[in-house]
Each structure stands twice: as structure tokens, then as C-alpha cells.
Amino acid sequence: QVVFFLTNNPVCSASQTADANGKYWSIRTVPLVAGAATETVQCGVIADQAGGVAITGPTAVCFNSMGRQTENTSTGVTGGNCSLDASGVSTYNIATAGADRPLRVLVALGGQTRQCDPARSLDATRPDGCP
């Protein structure tokens, strides 16, 4: 399993803790057995793409070896417990100061991701709308 989480620690290391309002992100392996080592796979800065970006959504999302979302309360990341929404979709709302178009990223149970416009309804004429 791996865990994707938001953090406020700019140093890409195994000591990062999860933070719901994090300005950085990290992907780390989840130990299969207690005491096993974890590996930080990749880290990044949300502001690399644009300044003033605010993201709200789950602090952490876990994926199993098949790429499906999974629940896990023992990720090895402080504050990085993964839970599944009843709908099976993790929702991230993304906005930036002064922007006229917020966006939403949906991560489905099977690991599929979709970006959509929350101000538009999904239908045959508006494929960029949110369900």
C-alpha cells in the first residue's frame, strides 16, 4: 500500500506528518507488518503550480497494490489515517485567490481521478461538470 497525504513539512523525509491544510504533498509506502521500514516515494510543493492555491479534502488517501482506495488507520504517518467516504469517492476542492473558477478533483474507489467544475452539472452537453 501507499499513502498520499498533505503536509506542512517542506523537507521530503520519513518524519513528515500529515496536515489537512498542508502546502506540500508526499507519497509514502505503508509497512506491511509492524516495525517494517517505510519509503518516501515522492514529494512536492502545491505552490509549484500556482501561488495562493487552497485545497480542502481528505488529509490522506491510501491505495492498495491494485490501485484501489482502501481504509487504513495504521499508515505510519502521524495524522495520516485513511478512511473511505460512504460514496466511495474522495473529493478535493481547489481554489485560488482571485480566481473565478474553482475546480474539484474526484478520486474514485477504483483509483480513477477526474477533474470537474463544481459550478456546472454533469450532463451530455457539459462533460466538465461535476456529478
Side-chain angles (χ1 to χ4, degrees):
Q1 287 187 20
V2 295
V3 57
F4 165 87
F5 61 97
L6 301 175
T7 182
N8 273 318
N9 187 340
V11 179
C12 189
S13 71
S15 64
Q16 291 175 312
T17 59
D19 189 320
N21 298 314
K23 302 210 180 315
Y24 304 89
W25 58 268
S26 185
I27 301 171
R28 190 181 309 166
T29 59
V30 176
L32 292 174
V33 294
T38 64
E39 180 180 335
T40 301
V41 178
Q42 193 171 4
C43 300
V45 182
I46 293 170
D48 279 349
Q49 303 305 316
V53 173
I55 297 177
T56 56
T59 303
V61 178
C62 291
F63 298 93
N64 65 20
S65 60
M66 300 296 288
R68 294 179 58 88
Q69 275 196 73
T70 186
E71 289 187 307
N72 191 331
T73 57
S74 301
T75 63
V77 176
T78 303
N81 295 335
C82 298
S83 59
L84 291 176
D85 188 81
S87 69
V89 177
S90 294
T91 302
Y92 289 94
N93 290 306
I94 304 165
T96 187
D100 60 350
R101 186 174 179 212
L103 294 174
R104 182 173 290 158
V105 174
L106 306 171
V107 183
L109 188 60
Q112 302 89 349
T113 58
R114 181 178 195 289
Q115 179 179 301
C116 60
D117 184 343
R120 298 175 61 111
S121 296
L122 177 65
D123 63 28
T125 62
R126 294 180 292 218
D128 62 337
C130 290

